[in-house]
Amino acid sequence: MQDSHTQILNSLSNRDNLTKLDTLGMMDLVLGFPKQCRDGAAISWQYGHGSTAQTDIRNVVYTGLGGSAIGGDLLRCLADEYGSIPIIVNRDYTLPAWVGPSTLLLAASYSGNTEETLAATTAGLKAEAQIAMVTSGGTLAKIGAAEGCPVAIVPGGQPPRTATGYLFFPALTYLQHRHFLRKDFQEDSEETFLVLEKMAKEYGPDVPVEQNPAKQLAIQLFGKIPVLYGSQGYRGVAAYRWKCQFNENTKIAAFSNVLPEQNHNEILAWVLGEKQASNWSAIFLRDPKEEELQPRIATRVAVTKELVSRTTPVHEIFAQGESLLARLLSIIYMADFVTVYLAYLYGICPTDIGYIDHLKEALAKEVSK
Ligand code: PA5
């Protein structure tokens, strides 16, 4: 099996073979991600009235779903480290009761038509929150224009989960513009783009399995349910992104959790490992400086790995780069390659999201009745 999988993934250097497995062009979007991040950072905002005033904003709520919500998760990680006010990510129709005039509501929907995001935006307007938006158009952009909200219009026409650079970087620029982050990210952004460009070269379809860690991991995960463990903080956000990419690109179940919390409950799920975990595979997402900067976490990871490895193979992925921004983006970028290669091995189209479309259509029909 491994040999035939190696052959399949090594055949991808031939463009025709790649196109046969990837009829809707997911790999091109994955390879284009570093440039998309550069482009995303250069997108200009269409500022509405009063948008730059440093009024008494006390909190930021980023509202969005699925592929559009991940941009908020990334922002929250940066705000946890460098923010002057708290940021939370909201994935629902409703907003917390405390949202009001002192809230900046960042509404993000790639399509601009996601009903939960539209409902939360309407709730934000009602609560008199200040609202800014990131979208490629749709109803959200229309609401933005009608209400005079600052809006970043990003290029449309691709799956939202491949548009993280377009969704995240303009939101980052906006928070900087409003002075809600105590750091200038220009240098870190440049480092991030270079790290991502290097990764695209190292993990791309032309690089054979023998030199390609992303292809190797995809082969090892065939037939397994990936269980992602972030070692702490932003690696927990990355673990959730990996899980979602396995769900959407590969169409398989995957689960995620983060340390130290995992050590207080889920670690026991491995006790009956032999009975239930024979097809699980654990992936630890780690920071290269953990040993030095977070020795307690490094010890926790070592002990957890040992317990988990009693029943299942354990893999480790390390973030790359120096800045938090580069480490954050690099650790999620690896997931794009692994989940798409694994989709090829299953003979699944990585782009197709039939069940999500089906659900949205069923909900739309219900409204139009
Ligand atoms: O990946 C996807 O297609 C979904 O997770 C969408 O991002 C989600 O349904 C929300 O849609 P949108 O991103 O257009 O707001």
Side-chain angles (χ1 to χ4, degrees), residues 65-68 108-114 117 160-161 248 353 356 360:
L65 277 294
S68 289
S109 168
Y110 185 65
S111 63
N113 292 322
T114 297
T117 312
R161 65 188 179 284
E248 291 194 58
I353 48 159
I356 295 181
K360 287 186 179 177

Side-chain angles (χ1 to χ4, degrees), residues 292-343:
E292 180 195 334
L293 299 178
Q294 294 143 342
R296 300 298 291 161
I297 285 293
T299 306
R300 282 181 181 278
V301 171
V303 178
T304 309
K305 262 173 47 189
E306 193 281 311
L307 292 170
V308 170
S309 67
R310 291 180 188 180
T311 46
T312 199
V314 167
H315 308 277
E316 281 189 311
I317 303 291
F318 282 88
Q320 300 183 35
E322 281 299 317
S323 63
L324 176 57
L325 186 60
R327 284 177 285 143
L328 196 50
L329 272 287
S330 64
I331 203 159
I332 67 160
Y333 190 33
M334 176 75 161
D336 294 358
F337 290 99
V338 176
T339 58
V340 171
Y341 288 138
L342 190 53

Side-chain angles (χ1 to χ4, degrees), residues 143-206:
I143 297 174
E147 298 290 336
C149 302
V151 182
I153 298 285
V154 306
Q158 61 190 70
R161 65 188 179 284
T162 68
T164 304
Y166 287 147
L167 291 158
F168 164 70
F169 276 98
L172 176 64
T173 314
Y174 188 69
L175 288 194
Q176 285 226 261
H177 174 75
R178 299 290 306 265
H179 308 290
F180 296 142
L181 293 167
R182 295 195 195 95
K183 185 175 172 68
D184 182 306
F185 284 94
Q186 217 163 355
E187 222 174 273
D188 294 0
S189 298
E190 193 50 45
E191 186 217 358
T192 304
F193 305 147
L194 294 175
V195 168
L196 297 178
E197 280 156 11
K198 184 167 167 283
M199 290 176 74
K201 285 196 189 112
E202 288 173 355
Y203 306 145
D206 296 342

Side-chain angles (χ1 to χ4, degrees), residues 153-273:
I153 298 285
V154 306
Q158 61 190 70
R161 65 188 179 284
T162 68
T164 304
Y166 287 147
L167 291 158
F168 164 70
F169 276 98
L172 176 64
T173 314
Y174 188 69
L175 288 194
Q176 285 226 261
H177 174 75
R178 299 290 306 265
H179 308 290
F180 296 142
L181 293 167
R182 295 195 195 95
K183 185 175 172 68
D184 182 306
F185 284 94
Q186 217 163 355
E187 222 174 273
D188 294 0
S189 298
E190 193 50 45
E191 186 217 358
T192 304
F193 305 147
L194 294 175
V195 168
L196 297 178
E197 280 156 11
K198 184 167 167 283
M199 290 176 74
K201 285 196 189 112
E202 288 173 355
Y203 306 145
D206 296 342
V207 182
V209 168
E210 297 69 26
Q211 285 109 52
N212 192 324
K215 287 185 178 176
Q216 288 166 14
L217 184 55
I219 291 172
Q220 286 165 323
L221 292 176
F222 186 84
K224 307 278 186 190
I225 295 177
V227 180
L228 289 310
Y229 287 143
S231 55
Q232 190 194 29
Y234 78 88
R235 281 88 76 204
V237 161
Y240 183 68
R241 167 67 172 184
W242 274 70
K243 175 208 115 62
C244 294
Q245 292 295 75
F246 279 117
N247 298 152
E248 291 194 58
N249 290 342
T250 322
K251 272 56 106 176
I252 59 169
F255 301 92
S256 68
N257 206 335
V258 62
L259 274 63
E261 178 64 12
Q262 187 270 8
N263 287 175
H264 299 270
N265 36 64
E266 190 172 317
I267 188 63
L268 290 167
W270 299 89
V271 170
L272 286 185

